Amino acid sequence: MNGAEILVSCLKEQGVDTVFGYPGGSVLAVYDALGRDGSVRLVTSCHEQFACHAADGYARATGRVGVVLATSGPGATNLVTGIANAYMDSTPLIAITGNVSLEQLGRDSFQEIDIAGVTMPITKHNYIVKSVGELAHTVREAFYYAASGRRGPILIDIPKNIFDESCDYVPASRRAPFKPAPNASGLRDAAAVLAAAKRPFLCGGGGIISAGAAKEFRVFAERLQAPVGLTAMGIGAFPRDHVLCTGVVGMHPSAYTCDAMRGCDLFVGVGTRFSERLMANVNGYSPEAKILHIDIDASEIGKNAAVSAAVCGDLKAALRALNRGLAQRSPWLAPPGTPQPHVSFVFRVLSELCGDAVFTTEVGLHQLAACEGLRINHPRRFLTSGGLGAMGFGLGAAIGACIGTGRLAVNISGDGSLNMNLQEIATAVRYRLPLIEVVCDNRQLGMITAWQDSRFDGRHMENATPEIDYEAVARAMGADGYTVRDETEFRAALRTAKRIKRPAVIRVLTEVSL
């Protein structure tokens, strides 16, 4: 086989059914091989960044490794934001880039870029394939590393002459990803601090979802009868409607979440990296509490939080082991007696009418409101850019999630974020996806405005967004378009959009704050 055919065969070995990307000169041989084979679906976005976000969304929604393919030079560099986003949020992703031929590397050839060097800080590992004979082994190893331990993106850069050269291809079985066993001493220490704690608070992160450990985490919480807060990445790891769920931790925790953190004597972080926003909660509300950290990545233990005990290893195995030693307790925190924070009708109606959908968000005020307002009760149903905070993530991720799961996908956006990825509505139309874009249009960058109000005495510099008729733009691209101003109009438009099962944009004219 030639290199392009070997690459396609290896993708099939790994169970890949969809490749996202954009064609270009250095990868045309791969596109040709994929087309001749016909068993792997090709999804072409309007821009490589959003193809990468689509592969990311596919991976998060399905639990499988996402794959994105781009050409050399600008095609490769356009992937950087998407790769960085996957790296920050621990998404298993394979980015395959073409490059100039081996003999042209290092000569500043047309569309040559050292993409391996560029992406080294934002990948788990990356490769430059230098012979067709090493291609199959490289692809297999990349998939293994992407899905093993703490998951993340791998880049494979392949000079285009490799695709044309031939060698023998020997099929191989897919390797099961490596899951490190939890350390025995950590389990003993954790059991001790849990036994001593009278008022534990649990903070669930995205690692629970990645490990498929939502069931074990729920048992853990219910035996401890401990209040549970969720990071943005952890939404779906524990049912939002569960009596023990307090809401979201981070920038704007609810009063009930603050009460739970303030009253705890043990703060238990499960599958979370204790980011600076979470540490602000810990330092502000639980400064005297001991910390128990349970995570798969040893480098995160003690990095940001001084821990009293830690378990490092696969979360499913760790929680199962801890659950075996836990006796049933009584709750220490009563459910809130005061009304919960106001939830915009947008999120209330979305939760009511689209509860079976996969929700994605862009970045901004709407993202914060969605984190608190949506009632997400299952893993892999809420996808957001947590660590990088990349405006433009949501629509591409919704396309990938929709293709990967076959479910209705709903992307929640502000007008600022939609202006970054507007062209991808055409991608959703091209593939006839049941996808709804809800754009909260306040005619400005809402979070920027809020910061300018609070930090810069209300001096609004470049906070306004272009006046765009998103309903008309949607229709011009072949999607349905609606403009609504209140709950009644929104409810009617959403019902229609859900029924027709094709791309639709619902523009909600709203105020600065949601």
Side-chain angles (χ1 to χ4, degrees):
M1 292 183 179
N2 67 29
E5 293 164 339
I6 290 172
L7 175 59
V8 172
S9 296
C10 288
L11 293 176
K12 291 164 62 179
E13 278 181 7
Q14 301 301 318
V16 174
D17 59 13
T18 306
V19 171
F20 300 88
Y22 198 92
S26 70
V27 291
L28 281 184
V30 182
Y31 273 83
D32 182 69
L34 285 164
R36 285 186 283 111
D37 179 85
S39 60
V40 177
R41 185 179 188 183
L42 279 166
V43 177
T44 301
S45 297
C46 296
H47 188 287
E48 290 92 349
Q49 177 180 331
F50 306 112
C52 198
H53 289 324
D56 187 328
Y58 172 98
R60 297 193 201 201
T62 65
R64 301 193 291 271
V65 178
V67 180
V68 62
L69 174 64
T71 193
S72 59
T77 56
N78 280 345
L79 296 180
V80 169
T81 297
I83 293 171
N85 191 78
Y87 181 75
M88 293 290 285
D89 289 346
S90 304
T91 302
L93 184 142
I94 302 293
I96 302 170
T97 54
N99 214 326
V100 299
S101 298
L102 272 173
E103 67 272 12
Q104 296 299 323
L105 285 177
R107 297 173 180 270
D108 292 331
S109 305
F110 176 69
Q111 291 196 333
E112 178 192 357
I113 195 75
D114 178 13
I115 193 62
V118 169
T119 59
M120 189 174 292
I122 54 170
T123 52
K124 282 187 72 174
H125 192 64
N126 58 33
Y127 302 84
I128 302 173
V129 179
K130 295 186 178 178
S131 74
V132 68
E134 67 186 56
L135 177 57
H137 171 75
T138 300
V139 173
R140 291 162 184 158
E141 188 173 89
F143 273 86
Y144 173 75
Y145 284 139
S148 291
R150 180 177 179 174
R151 297 179 168 192
I154 308 284
L155 179 125
I156 309 173
D157 191 41
I158 309 173
K160 67 179 181 180
N161 64 289
I162 303 295
F163 296 131
D164 298 324
E165 297 173 5
S166 298
C167 73
D168 291 336
Y169 165 71
V170 180
S173 300
R174 190 191 330 174
R175 292 172 69 188
F178 172 67
K179 297 181 179 180
N183 56 319
S185 61
L187 289 171
R188 288 193 297 269
D189 293 344
V193 297
L194 286 167
K198 304 298 184 185
R199 302 180 305 280
F201 173 82
L202 307 185
C203 176
I208 298 169
I209 297 171
S210 182
K215 179 180 177 181
E216 289 75 12
F217 183 64
R218 179 167 179 166
V219 171
F220 186 61
E222 289 178 342
R223 289 191 182 171
L224 289 170
Q225 283 295 296
V228 177
L230 298 169
T231 69
M233 293 299 300
I235 292 173
F238 192 78
R240 185 64 181 85
D241 290 334
H242 196 288
V243 67
L244 291 173
C245 189
T246 68
V248 181
V249 298
M251 282 186 69
H252 301 292
S254 69
Y256 184 40
T257 303
C258 294
D259 287 343
M261 290 189 289
R262 193 178 290 113
C264 77
D265 61 0
L266 178 66
F267 192 104
V268 185
V270 184
T272 182
R273 59 189 176 87
F274 281 94
S275 70
E276 79 285 357
R277 289 180 173 177
L278 180 56
M279 285 307 300
N281 290 175
V282 174
N283 294 330
Y285 300 106
S286 311
E288 303 301 321
K290 292 183 177 180
I291 295 176
L292 167 61
H293 194 180
I294 308 172
D295 199 78
I296 197 170
D297 188 352
S299 69
E300 293 294 347
I301 305 295
K303 184 174 78 174
N304 295 327
V307 300
S308 298
V311 180
C312 186
D314 176 61
L315 288 187
K316 183 185 281 285
L319 290 170
R320 281 179 174 173
L322 291 172
N323 287 341
R324 285 194 290 269
L326 285 179
Q328 186 67 47
R329 298 191 187 183
S330 299
W332 65 267
L333 183 70
T338 57
Q340 290 298 290
H342 167 73
V343 175
S344 165
F345 70 81
V346 171
F347 309 106
R348 186 162 35 80
V349 174
L350 282 172
S351 298
E352 176 188 338
L353 298 184
C354 301
D356 56 344
V358 177
F359 289 96
T360 64
T361 81
E362 304 294 349
V363 173
L365 290 180
H366 65 277
Q367 178 191 31
L368 302 180
C371 286
E372 190 62 49
L374 289 174
R375 314 304 290 187
I376 306 295
N377 293 308
H378 302 283
R380 303 193 183 281
R381 300 289 184 84
F382 182 81
L383 317 179
T384 195
S385 178
L388 191 65
M391 294 173 70
F393 165 79
L395 183 51
I399 288 169
C402 192
I403 287 172
T405 66
R407 292 182 177 275
L408 169 70
V410 179
N411 183 46
I412 302 164
S413 175
D415 46 317
S417 291
L418 181 56
N419 292 344
M420 293 193 174
N421 59 23
L422 188 60
Q423 70 271 31
E424 296 305 323
I425 294 170
T427 303
V429 170
R430 178 179 183 179
Y431 294 100
R432 299 180 176 87
L433 301 180
L435 187 152
I436 301 173
E437 173 84 10
V438 177
V439 52
C440 302
D441 185 4
N442 55 21
R443 283 77 66 198
Q444 57 191 290
L445 301 172
M447 186 170 283
I448 297 299
T449 299
W451 283 339
Q452 288 174 336
D453 286 342
S454 63
R455 302 179 189 177
F456 300 98
D457 299 324
R459 293 186 296 276
H460 294 158
M461 301 298 294
E462 298 299 320
N463 68 319
T465 53
E467 292 283 344
I468 297 175
D469 185 344
Y470 296 108
E471 177 181 349
V473 171
R475 295 183 185 279
M477 291 187 178
D480 285 10
Y482 311 86
T483 299
V484 303
R485 294 165 180 80
D486 56 33
E487 179 175 344
T488 300
E489 293 179 351
F490 180 62
R491 189 177 290 271
L494 189 60
R495 282 201 176 104
T496 301
K498 185 178 179 183
R499 186 180 68 251
I500 61 176
K501 297 182 179 180
R502 62 174 180 260
V505 176
I506 303 177
R507 179 192 188 195
V508 183
L509 296 176
T510 183
E511 299 303 319
V512 174
S513 175
L514 291 168

